[in-house]
Every structure is written in structure tokens, then in C-alpha cells.
Amino acid sequence: MSTVGVLALQGDVREHLAAATRVGATAVGVRRLAELEAVDALIIPGGESTTIDKLLRAFDLFEPLKARIHDGMPVMGSCAGMIMLATDLVGGIDGQQSLAAIPMTVRRNAFGRQVDSAETELVWEPDGSAMHATFIRAPWVEACAPAVEVLATATGPDGERHPVAVRHGNAIATSFHPEIAAPGAVHDDRVHRLLLDLV
Ligand code: GLN
């Protein structure tokens, strides 16, 4: 059985632990170096990227995590987690750092303040099926290298379509929250399953 860690410094850790458990992994919270070293894959949850960045550095986890990702550990980030996986940010605060796992520029709070939270129907490009997605003060991918595979796009307030789910090698990032199901709906665990498939 694979062990999937959820970075447990801030954000919606519990929901990701539940999703990782549903897809058949042993799910554990990661707050310390020894815990990071023990996992086969890691999820960076949604929350507040500026806080996650600061806490990663305060807990001396930033460089070890970056090194593990660059050594090939499968990683998935949702929302603030997507921001953490970018090489470049638009709308970051002064001094905000990211882990540079995916060659992409991510725009924070891209859907605008008025769209604090929204649910929408996306097309999951790998198989053309529908995917219900929950966005909360979500980022989008402003630009990415040709090697980055776009898994889903959504229309922004600018009327343009923007990537909201991408994959590059061992790293997956989504603007939306795949750990959250629509009220009354069953959980759609395809993104978490994709992470487990990379282990
Ligand atoms: N806007 C948040 C940030 O910049 C992300 C929101 C979320 O993760 N739900 O970190």
C-alpha cells in the first residue's frame, strides 16, 4: 500500500486525507521532515499560499520538499497548492516563494474577488468526460511551457479559457478542489487516483 502524505501546515488537510484514503492509500499528515521522508507522494492542500509558504520555511521543510519533488516524488497541489507548485506567480505578495515543480505562471485569485466561490462543470481532457469542480478564490494557469499537459480549462471573467488542471511529469496541479464534492453528490476521486497512479 502506498503512503500519501498531506502537507498539514494550513488548509483543508482533512478532506484530502479522506480522499487519499478513499483511493486506497495510507494517508498521513506531514508537518516534519521525518514525516516528509516517509511518504511515497504528497498533496499540498488549498488554503492560503502565502501562509503555507511561510510555514514551510519556518518548519525547515521548504528546501527538503523542493528536493524531493525534483527527485521525482509524485505531488499534487490544489488551489493554494497549485500556487505552491508554480515556477512563477502573478499577484504574489512581496517575497512569496513557490516550489518550481511545474514550469508555469500562476495568477492568484484569478477569477476575481466577486467570484469568491463557484461550482462549474468542466471537461476532463484525458477522457473527455464531465467533471464537477468547486473553485474558492481560485488561481488559474496564466502561461505554461509546451511540455505541461493541460487536463482541464475553465472560462474566466475575461471570457477566455484558462488551464485549471495541469500535469508535468510527477506533478499535478488543480485550481479547483477535487477533495470537495458537490452537496449530495458522491466524491469524484479521479485527480487523487491519478496521483496514486504516479507512485
Ligand atoms: N487565494 C488563495 C491563495 O492565494 C488560494 C485559495 C484556496 O486555496 N482556496 O493562496
Side-chain angles (χ1 to χ4, degrees), residues 45-50 78-81 83 96 108-109 136-139 177:
E48 177 51 51
S49 59
T50 54
S78 61
C79 205
I83 296 167
Q96 182 170 358
R108 289 182 69 213
N109 303 317
I136 305 168
R137 291 185 300 283
H177 289 266

